[in-house]
Amino acid sequence: MENVAIFDSPGKGRGLKATKEFWAGDVIFSEPSFAAVVFDSLAERICHSCFRRQDKLQRCGQCKFAHYCDRTCQRAGWAEHKQECGAIKTYGKIPNENIRLVARIMWRIDKEGYVVSDMQLTTLDELEDHIPDMQEDELQELKVDIHNFLDYWPRTSKQHTIDVISHIFGVVNCNGFTVSDQKGLQAVGVGLFPNLCLVNHDCWPNCTVILNHGNQSAVNTMFHSQRRIEIRSLGKISEGEELTIAYVDYLNLSEERQRLLKTQYFFDCTCEHCKNHLKDDLKLGGTEVDGVKPSEEEVKETTDYCFQMLEKMDKARLNADYHEVVKICKECIAKTEPILADTHIYQLRIWSTLSEVQAYLQYFNDAADYSRKMVDGYVKLYHPNNAALGMSAMRAGVTHWQAGEIEVGHGMICKAYAILMVTHGPTHPITKDLEAMRMQTEMELRMFKQNEYVYHSMRDAALKNKPMAMMHEPRSMEEGIKNLFHRKK
């Protein structure tokens, strides 16, 4: 943590600033979690120690709740689970993820205190809980959680005042960080990282935060890496400059971002992009054909229609009726593409969902076309080193490869690799996968240019092995993890 210092950020309270110069891709600092838990809904599908998704997990023989990859992961997670295990057995049921996380935090505080290492810049009692700012329904939920926590908390553990318990719940409520799986592709849990809580928001930030579990596959638990986040620079950061990350997705309009930040994190964003509504005109704009733009009325009418179709699409997707999703999307596109700009956020959502569903249904040519349109739109909106842009380019690259368009596929994968080397770094599992894809497509592209017949023969063999298949069932139309901090709703 010698690379950063706490300072009073104008209008924001405490913040972190750089104490040296950084360049794109530099790790400014990393931090292990104070505590973390798997989401209630994924408790049986995600390892409670390494947070990897596995087909077959071993269940804790005592509480029957915690699940692990194997004995190694169970041993690695025992320090966090030991008291929880006994409490669940005594309680007789499973408390929700917020209660479980608060309990893990308080057990650790009781054992090690509010500061658990020399690297921790702030104590948990110094973090804001924003309880006075909560709405009535949120306060009611908080009271219910506290009541259930008191029933769950063992009589043999140290007893705490209601004020202390409430404060920790408040801290988790507005600072709980969304923990991803090993690949970084799905939100699977929530954790608390005290130093991360000091990094303020900006809609166009100079840093990104990524979860990097490191090595969790070693047989000996001594060689398991800590579950940790990394703050990485997105570009040049000068000495003394404030470090910022984005709490919400930039693809939202300025007004929507401000609403989310106010209701979820209790502050008014005054960044340049919000004050000047930068790129909002692109996000809800009309397309220009031969110098002629549609009227504002046409754009608004088409936008409203698109919104209605998105609701239908969501319903069909949730019912796993993917052919209906394709039908709805194509019907919508026929009306919207002549009117809406290629950066219109509703149109981008349609293209994103359609390309993902078509790839799953193995309509690769159509999927490739829409994935390329999606990436072209993202390029005009996102920061050039935004992780969501990198992940979209990766998906588009794989889809083009599946469609047999090796040149475009290789170019997209190289673009994705360049972005994720900055946002994720060379040791992250997703970057390692991308490097293997890049090498494979580079080899195939050379072969394609030398002898197309040999290339197609090799391609047929590769397709049988499906080394780059990304045809998992579509779980969500939103890519990646859009909001950094977890909010119970």
Side-chain angles (χ1 to χ4, degrees):
M1 300 303 296
E2 67 276 5
N3 295 333
V4 300
I6 298 177
F7 80 117
D8 288 325
S9 178
K12 297 181 180 179
R14 292 191 303 170
L16 291 185
K17 64 180 180 179
T19 57
K20 57 176 280 190
E21 189 175 77
F22 292 100
W23 294 89
D26 286 346
V27 177
I28 298 172
F29 71 85
S30 62
E31 178 185 18
S33 63
F34 196 95
V37 295
V38 173
F39 286 150
D40 301 336
S41 58
L42 297 173
E44 296 180 3
R45 288 177 280 169
I46 301 294
C47 175
H48 289 218
S49 176
C50 72
F51 282 65
R52 280 182 294 184
R53 175 181 286 275
Q54 300 281 15
D55 292 332
K56 292 183 179 181
L57 293 170
Q58 296 180 9
R59 190 171 64 173
C60 173
Q62 297 296 314
C63 68
K64 314 294 184 187
F65 167 69
H67 287 70
Y68 301 96
C69 298
D70 48 33
R71 291 286 183 187
T72 307
C73 273
Q74 188 169 6
R75 285 194 296 270
W78 181 241
E80 276 193 299
H81 180 57
K82 182 178 180 180
Q83 288 171 292
E84 175 185 76
C85 186
I88 288 174
K89 282 195 297 181
T90 304
Y91 189 45
K93 54 185 177 181
I94 310 301
N96 69 41
E97 62 217 26
N98 275 20
I99 294 172
R100 289 187 287 115
L101 179 57
V102 168
R104 283 191 170 196
I105 290 169
M106 296 190 70
W107 277 316
R108 189 166 187 190
I109 290 172
D110 292 346
K111 183 179 179 182
E112 302 177 49
Y114 280 91
V115 178
V116 296
S117 79
D118 295 338
M119 299 297 178
Q120 190 178 321
L121 297 176
T122 184
T123 62
L124 270 62
D125 56 345
E126 293 175 326
L127 294 175
E128 288 283 352
D129 58 31
H130 289 289
I131 291 175
D133 301 316
M134 288 183 179
Q135 299 295 318
E136 187 59 39
D137 59 334
E138 293 177 311
L139 287 172
Q140 191 58 41
E141 283 186 13
L142 176 65
K143 290 177 182 177
V144 171
D145 275 348
I146 292 172
H147 175 80
N148 291 333
F149 173 87
L150 292 172
D151 287 343
Y152 170 65
W153 187 253
R155 300 291 176 264
T156 53
S157 293
K158 181 181 176 181
Q159 300 303 301
H160 296 273
T161 65
I162 295 295
D163 286 346
V164 170
I165 298 167
S166 299
H167 174 72
I168 299 298
F169 268 104
V171 168
V172 165
N173 191 51
C174 56
N175 291 292
F177 180 75
T178 300
V179 177
S180 64
D181 60 8
Q182 190 82 348
K183 296 280 187 176
L185 295 174
Q186 183 193 7
V188 297
V190 56
L192 189 66
F193 299 80
N195 292 339
L196 175 61
C197 299
L198 295 172
V199 184
N200 286 317
H201 163 84
D202 195 286
C203 292
W204 199 261
N206 56 17
C207 296
T208 187
V209 55
I210 193 71
L211 201 86
N212 191 344
H213 295 293
N215 176 24
Q216 298 281 347
S217 58
V219 174
N220 192 322
T221 55
M222 287 177 60
F223 300 108
H224 271 222
S225 303
Q226 286 182 301
R227 187 172 49 240
R228 65 184 185 274
I229 54 97
E230 294 176 343
I231 299 290
R232 307 180 70 90
S233 173
L234 293 177
K236 182 184 175 183
I237 297 176
S238 303
E239 182 179 348
E241 187 177 343
E242 181 173 10
L243 306 176
T244 57
I245 57 175
Y247 292 0
V248 296
D249 185 23
Y250 181 71
L251 223 58
N252 291 307
L253 295 169
S254 302
E255 186 179 347
E256 177 64 8
R257 293 199 307 273
Q258 288 183 312
R259 186 191 68 79
L260 290 169
L261 292 167
K262 185 67 174 178
T263 57
Q264 296 184 8
Y265 309 108
F266 309 105
F267 70 87
D268 296 306
C269 184
T270 58
C271 76
E272 181 187 0
H273 283 253
C274 280
K275 283 192 297 184
N276 299 322
H277 302 283
L278 298 182
K279 301 197 178 187
D280 280 2
D281 57 335
L282 295 177
K283 295 175 186 176
L284 284 184
T287 190
E288 185 174 322
V289 180
D290 298 327
V292 179
K293 282 189 173 182
S295 66
E296 289 185 12
E297 290 77 11
E298 283 182 296
V299 173
K300 185 181 184 308
E301 182 185 330
T302 309
T303 297
D304 292 342
Y305 166 77
C306 197
F307 182 77
Q308 293 169 7
M309 296 298 278
L310 281 167
E311 291 183 331
K312 284 186 179 180
M313 181 193 72
D314 282 350
K315 186 176 180 181
R317 179 183 54 79
L318 289 170
N319 292 331
D321 189 352
Y322 299 122
H323 290 284
E324 181 65 15
V325 172
V326 171
K327 179 184 173 184
I328 293 169
C329 288
K330 288 194 171 182
E331 181 183 332
C332 184
I333 286 169
K335 183 169 181 177
T336 59
E337 282 193 349
I339 305 294
L340 303 183
D342 61 358
T343 52
H344 194 291
I345 53 176
Y346 290 173
Q347 184 137 275
L348 288 171
R349 284 174 62 185
I350 291 286
W351 286 340
S352 173
T353 301
L354 183 55
S355 65
E356 185 179 359
V357 170
Q358 286 182 320
Y360 175 68
L361 297 174
Q362 301 188 37
Y363 302 147
F364 296 126
N365 289 321
D366 284 348
D369 288 341
Y370 290 113
S371 67
R372 184 166 63 245
K373 287 181 178 183
M374 177 187 67
V375 172
D376 289 344
Y378 281 2
V379 165
K380 296 174 184 177
L381 296 176
Y382 275 127
H383 185 288
N385 282 332
N386 187 288
L389 174 58
M391 299 298 284
S392 300
M394 179 181 72
R395 201 177 90 189
V398 173
T399 305
H400 280 84
W401 176 85
Q402 290 168 328
E405 298 181 36
I406 184 62
E407 291 182 275
V408 179
H410 177 67
M412 287 283 190
I413 285 170
C414 287
K415 179 179 181 63
Y417 183 69
I419 295 172
L420 266 64
M421 277 291 285
V422 172
T423 60
H424 290 60
T427 64
H428 196 279
I430 201 81
T431 317
K432 289 181 177 180
D433 285 352
L434 258 178
E435 169 66 5
M437 293 179 195
R438 190 180 65 82
M439 291 174 66
Q440 180 179 325
T441 54
E442 185 176 346
M443 176 196 71
E444 290 188 24
L445 183 57
R446 273 199 309 267
M447 190 173 294
F448 175 80
K449 289 180 176 179
Q450 290 169 0
N451 189 318
E452 287 190 38
Y453 174 77
V454 174
Y455 163 71
H456 285 295
S457 299
M458 291 288 289
R459 174 179 164 75
D460 289 342
L463 282 171
K464 289 177 183 176
N465 294 325
K466 297 183 180 178
M468 285 165 50
M470 292 181 69
M471 296 185 293
H472 58 275
E473 186 170 1
R475 287 187 296 268
S476 170
M477 68 179 193
E478 296 295 336
E479 284 185 89
I481 300 170
K482 294 301 189 185
N483 289 349
L484 286 181
F485 294 98
H486 171 66
R487 290 275 290 166
K488 180 187 167 190
K489 285 293 180 187

